[in-house]
Amino acid sequence: MILSLTFTPALESALKETGAVYEAGEAYRTEQHLKRELNTNVEPLTLVLQNEGSKINQTEVERLLSQIRAVPGVSSVVSATENPEQLSTDQQTQYSVIQLQNDLRETSAKANRAMETSIAKSTSAAIDVIDQLIQQTPPTLKAFLTGKPIVDQEIQRIGKADLSLVELRVLPLTLIALWIVFGSVIAA
């Protein structure tokens, strides 16, 4: 039994994006087509900035956004300076749209899977760096990062932690059950 466990692939490697996606559906195929043919990322990050009680200091915001623009994996950042509709009427809240790089122009399915894995890792790394930059904002400026890539990353993290916990709890129980059924440790 223990020998067979070494050859059993880890369930963690079987984890893929955990969104409720019907891969044969039209929406999924359209999304993949946009990514592949137009090199667009239909899942941007949204950075919400809020300064309660007073107007947002645009100098602080632009300093943060220039640091985010320099993060490897970020292709563009659209701020309220570029699109005034992203700024609230009281000028205490604004949001910026962060597009991450996405290049799925490979033609073979195997190459696409490898590229998607690479993109997922670079997306995760970019999100981590952006999150660190946000943590350094002044206390008067509240910053929230959201978007599908953030949710997917958090689901993956929680899923991996839960999977590790389940593996640790189930393996001993499985060995005990096999021992009871077969009557010896060697048979189990």
Side-chain angles (χ1 to χ4, degrees), residues 117-175:
T117 301
S118 173
I119 288 170
K121 288 180 181 176
S122 66
T123 298
S124 179
I127 290 170
D128 290 342
V129 172
I130 293 169
D131 195 41
Q132 289 173 1
L133 291 171
I134 290 170
Q135 300 304 320
Q136 299 170 7
T137 58
T140 57
L141 186 64
K142 292 182 182 179
F144 308 95
L145 189 62
T146 187
K148 188 174 183 302
I150 299 288
V151 173
D152 288 343
Q153 182 181 20
E154 191 63 17
I155 289 172
Q156 287 286 342
R157 185 189 63 76
I158 292 169
K160 286 178 182 179
D162 289 349
L163 183 61
S164 297
L165 185 61
V166 167
E167 286 174 346
L168 287 173
R169 290 183 179 173
V170 170
L171 181 61
L173 295 174
T174 304
L175 291 174

Side-chain angles (χ1 to χ4, degrees), residues 29-98:
R29 287 195 306 251
T30 301
E31 179 181 333
Q32 294 308 308
H33 178 75
L34 287 171
K35 285 181 179 179
R36 187 174 43 256
E37 299 300 325
L38 302 176
N39 195 29
T40 61
N41 186 352
V42 294
E43 302 162 354
L45 301 175
T46 303
L47 174 62
V48 180
L49 300 162
Q50 183 179 32
N51 194 13
E52 291 184 26
S54 63
K55 293 181 180 181
I56 287 184
N57 182 340
Q58 287 299 332
T59 306
E60 290 177 2
V61 170
E62 288 305 319
R63 183 176 39 237
L64 173 63
L65 294 179
S66 69
Q67 291 173 332
I68 290 173
R69 285 181 179 99
V71 171
V74 172
S75 65
S76 68
V77 178
V78 178
S79 69
T81 304
E82 299 152 349
N83 184 0
E85 292 180 0
Q86 295 175 198
L87 181 63
S88 67
T89 55
D90 64 2
Q91 298 184 355
Q92 293 181 7
T93 305
Q94 75 176 50
Y95 70 93
S96 298
V97 178
I98 303 168

